[in-house]
Structure formats: C-alpha cells, structure tokens
Amino acid sequence: MPPRHLVDLADLSAAEIRAIIGRASELKRRRAAGDKPPLFERKVLAMIFEKSSTRTRVSFEAAMIEGGGGAIFLAPKDTQLGRGEPIEDTARVLSEMCDAIMVRTFAHSMVERLAVCASVPVINGLTDRSHPCQFLADLQTYVERRGDIAGRRVAWIGDGNNMCNTYIEAAALLDFELAVASPVGYEPGVLRESSADSRVRLVRDPREAAAGADLIVTDVWVSMGQEAEATTRRAAFAPYQVSAALMACARADALFMHCLPAHRGEEVAAEVIDARDSVVWEEAGNRLHAQKALLEFLFGYAG
Ligand code: CP
Ligand code: NVA
C-alpha cells in the first residue's frame, strides 16, 4: 500500500478530517483520565526543522513518546541536508530507518519532493505556503467548543500567509464561509493562483470581515523568513490588529484563534488574547491530540 502524506490539507477528504478530529478529542479525553494508549510502539518519526518551532516540535515529539515510540530532531546545520545532500536522497535514506517524516521548511516544493521519494508518510509541519497540522488543531478546538464548522462564518484578519492559505483550502473542504481581510499587496497567494471558491471573500476592511463572524483568526505580521520586511509590514498591517473593538463586530460568542507565537500590540491586542475565555491555549494544546490522531491515521496506511 503506498503511503499517505499530509503535504496539504486537501490530501485528506472532509470525512477523514472529521474522523481525525473526532479521534483527537477522544484521545484528549482518555489522556485527561490518565490513559495514554501505546499507539506508536517502536515507531520512529524523523523531524526535519529548517525553521524554529516550539509547538510543532514539542507536540510531535510528545505524541511519539506518549505513544511508545520516539522522534528524532534533525537540524539541517547538523545533517548532510545542510551540506547539500539532495532532499530526494534524504527521503530514501530516512524511509529506510524511520516510520514517518515530518518537515518544517521554507519552500513548499521541498515537502512535495520529499513525499515523491519517501516510502513512508511525509507530514508538512509548515512551509511558506501552508500549515495543515495547525488547522487540524484549530478545527478540533472549534468543534469541541461550538460543534461542526460547516456553514459557520470565519474571518481571517491580516497577512495572507501560510495559515491563511490553509484556511482557504479548509473553507472549500469543510464548507464554511471565509472572509479574508488583508491590506493591498498581502493577499493570500492561493487566491491569486486559482479562481476563488465562492465560500471565500477577500475584503479590505477588517470590520467587514469580522461582522457576524463565529470565529476570528489572525497570525503574525512577519512570518519566519520575512524579518527583513518587518518595518514595512508593521506599517501596512497596523489597521489590521484584532482589538476588542474588532471582536465586538463579530457574534457575541465568537471565538478568537491564533496559531502562536503571538505579538501582543501587533496583530492582536493583549486584552483579546489574554481574555479569560481565550481559546489559544487549548488550541495550542490540541496540537498534541490532533497530531496523535493524524499519525495514527497515516500509520494505518503505511502498513
Ligand atoms: N503554531 C506553531 O506551529 O507554532 P511553532 O512555530 O512553535 O511550532
Ligand atoms: N505564519 C507564521 C506561522 C508560525 C507558526 C510563520 O510562518 O512564521
């Protein structure tokens, strides 16, 4: 059986995504009751990180350890990848020794090339284009709090970046309305590439996007690799902060999400992210459960 990969969210069907999220919630409940099933006994996950990470690294590593397996952290500067060994060769070598490969990198094509040559599942742990693992945790958080996301209204405020691209992909898959409010020049790349899905609307005014929303989502104004543009970006995004006033445009029970790390006073006001009912901490915590369910799903296809 050929391996299944998670290069982008659309590698999973809507039914598979819902099943993974349901399983993640079940694993979360069992863990809270002290039950950590040995899902990954003697399995090894290789983790290539070309960018920094706290949540992605810890959640994958903790998931493997709790499930009875292990994870190997690979930094390019300490491996032959950093000295020019082709990603295709790395894929073949890691497939000989590991049961799955997770990769966080810049170019999305690197993950695609890895997946073509790997004989074990390859998981996108964030590229410049997308961040499907984070969306699984976001969806789990939404579903646990509010039920199915189908038909709900989601507002993406700020940079049309990797997370935003994944939300656009998710809107079509899971049938929710998505309003994206981005400044000129920072619109999501996937909207430029393909004809927009009717569920996705691009607006300039963040209040228009937030109006009546069930969920408000934002992310940093300066993603990893864009540090040289920081000053220009902060100026362009200044009107796009998720403030208490912006949250007030949404439904009274609207949730706020942020994949983290956050910059208080930039993309989000401290009073929003630190509010008593903020769900960002459980959103981060759900990375562990969603990834366990994802790994279990992918291992199920890997034989
Ligand atoms: N949200 C997220 O992916 O966080 P890290 O960069 O800490 O992994
Ligand atoms: N958009 C951010 C997400 C970090 C998890 C980045 O790419 O840096």
Side-chain angles (χ1 to χ4, degrees), residues 240-273:
Y240 289 81
Q241 182 185 92
V242 179
S243 59
L246 191 68
M247 287 301 295
C249 298
R251 283 173 54 103
D253 66 346
L255 297 176
F256 169 75
M257 290 192 199
H258 189 313
C259 65
L260 305 178
H263 297 77
R264 291 168 178 78
E266 290 191 21
E267 74 276 3
V268 61
E271 61 181 326
V272 171
I273 195 166

Side-chain angles (χ1 to χ4, degrees), residues 49 52-59 104 125-126 131 134 163 224 258-261 287:
F49 279 97
S52 303
S53 171
T54 299
R55 282 143 286 266
T56 304
R57 177 178 177 181
V58 174
S59 54
R104 166 169 288 199
L126 179 141
H131 197 4
Q134 180 67 52
M163 268 316 303
M224 289 180 278
H258 189 313
C259 65
L260 305 178
R287 292 290 302 273

